Amino acid sequence: MLRVALPNKGTLAEPAATMMREAGYRQRSDSRDLSVIDEENGIEFFYLRPKDIATYVGSGDLQLGVTGHDLMEESGSQVHDVLPLGFGASKFRFAAPARFDWKLEDLDGKTIATSYPRLVRSHLSGKRIGAKIIKLDGAVEISVQLGLADAIADVVSSGRTLRQHGLKVIGEPIAESEAMLIEREPRPDRVETDEVKRAKSVFTERLRGVVYARQYLMLDYDCPLRVLEEAKQITPGLQAPTISPLADPSWVAVRSMVRRRCANAVMDQLAELGARAILSSEIRSCRAVDGRGPGHP
């Protein structure tokens, strides 16, 4: 049975569980449950602290896990990312009191509080900046107000929490992150069975299908036969659009996947071309025919 780690709490937990459901997997109904078995799909899910997931996967106790890329890097575990999952985007940045005009070089000799000491040390070392690093597990922003640190390094999304504590961002991001599907680095002393390899492949492709489906819409429209070739250029689809005859021989029905962000512009182009009954609909999941996923604009 495939063993997969998911975040038990935090900003990644609910989006991860939602993605699993969309991929057809059973999820826990009680947030206090630490694991759940999906007998039908041959998978057992374990709900762990996001910071611990890379450690469990790296040790080989679990075959796959979902966690943030920043947490994976911070763990130092022997794991690598398999698939970006398209949620949980964030930036990891330095911040210091807003009343001063800080530059990155001003951190030299200062005390920095963070939950990610490994990432911070690595970044500062590359900039040849020496600073004292204090590790905190949470509420990093308050450390400056309490006099524990001169600055912080933390995950920043909207910046609202920083402003509430009188802090502002310094310099460029240390790192950028999003939720990732991760697995252990290959090891010659621990060879996976064909059954496990197949289960991992099926699981990965299901998640990939959800990721792609969220980026695309299905577009259906009626098209005059005389402009069909032009319409196909506008909506090339994954491999090619589906063309079906209509009762009127001078018209055809067309179905094609289009990128969500371009959908309205594409619909405008089709309308100008003479297409009618242009409808868009959600795609819950899909599979990539060539293994690479939708690649057309």
Side-chain angles (χ1 to χ4, degrees):
M1 182 170 285
L2 192 66
R3 294 152 66 89
V4 179
L6 297 179
N8 67 340
K9 59 182 179 180
T11 57
L12 300 181
E14 188 53 41
T18 298
M19 176 168 278
M20 297 305 128
R21 293 188 185 98
E22 291 181 6
Y25 296 111
R26 179 189 172 200
Q27 289 296 287
R28 61 181 180 175
S29 55
D30 188 330
S31 61
R32 294 171 295 182
D33 292 341
L34 300 180
S35 66
V36 64
I37 295 177
D38 183 343
E39 292 280 4
E40 183 177 347
N41 290 294
I43 292 184
E44 184 170 9
F45 292 101
F46 294 85
Y47 300 90
L48 309 171
R49 289 203 325 160
K51 286 188 175 183
D52 295 336
I53 287 176
T55 302
Y56 278 102
V57 174
S59 68
D61 296 308
L62 303 174
Q63 284 90 23
L64 295 168
V66 173
T67 191
H69 188 266
D70 53 348
L71 297 174
M72 180 189 79
E73 292 290 337
E74 176 63 26
S75 73
S77 300
Q78 294 182 319
V79 296
H80 67 272
D81 56 90
V82 177
L83 177 69
L85 299 177
F87 64 87
S90 62
K91 294 183 179 181
F92 186 53
R93 312 192 70 160
F94 291 111
R99 63 182 181 275
F100 300 119
D101 186 20
W102 288 79
K103 295 182 178 61
L104 188 63
E105 299 77 29
D106 296 330
L107 294 176
D108 193 48
K110 298 295 192 296
T111 300
I112 302 173
T114 183
S115 299
Y116 301 79
R118 187 172 180 271
L119 282 176
V120 173
R121 287 194 184 98
S122 176
H123 185 79
L124 291 179
S125 176
K127 301 290 185 181
R128 297 187 176 182
I129 295 174
K132 179 182 178 182
I133 309 299
I134 296 177
K135 184 181 185 302
L136 298 177
D137 285 331
V140 174
E141 295 87 355
I142 201 68
S143 64
V144 175
Q145 185 177 337
L146 294 177
L148 181 66
D150 301 301
I152 68 168
D154 200 15
V155 173
V156 177
S157 50
S158 67
R160 182 176 61 87
T161 305
L162 293 181
R163 292 191 293 272
Q164 287 177 340
H165 292 86
L167 303 174
K168 67 176 181 180
V169 165
I170 302 174
E172 296 300 314
I174 302 169
E176 297 190 22
S177 181
E178 71 174 295
M180 309 289 296
L181 178 66
I182 65 172
E183 69 177 353
R184 182 186 173 123
E185 294 282 1
R187 281 179 51 174
D189 62 334
R190 186 172 295 193
V191 180
E192 293 179 340
T193 65
D194 290 341
E195 182 181 357
V196 170
K197 288 179 181 178
R198 181 183 179 281
K200 287 172 64 174
S201 176
V202 170
F203 183 81
T204 301
E205 290 310 308
R206 281 200 188 188
L207 295 194
R208 196 189 309 276
V210 175
V211 172
Y212 287 143
R214 290 177 176 181
Q215 297 173 14
Y216 283 77
L217 291 173
M218 184 64 74
L219 211 61
D220 291 274
Y221 59 94
D222 294 344
C223 180
L225 198 57
R226 57 183 172 78
V227 296
L228 177 59
E229 291 305 314
E230 294 174 70
K232 286 163 64 176
Q233 293 297 316
I234 297 172
T235 58
L238 192 60
Q239 298 295 328
T242 300
I243 312 295
S244 304
L246 292 177
D248 185 337
S250 63
W251 286 74
V252 292
V254 182
R255 163 167 281 204
S256 182
M257 288 172 63
V258 299
R259 285 194 179 274
R260 182 182 293 269
R261 67 172 185 267
C262 304
N264 282 302
V266 167
M267 294 171 79
D268 293 339
Q269 292 179 59
L270 292 172
E272 291 176 7
L273 196 62
R276 295 292 180 267
I278 307 168
L279 306 174
S280 66
S281 55
E282 297 285 337
I283 305 171
R284 293 201 57 182
S285 188
C286 67
R287 295 294 182 274
V289 176
D290 58 4
R292 295 180 293 105
H296 296 293

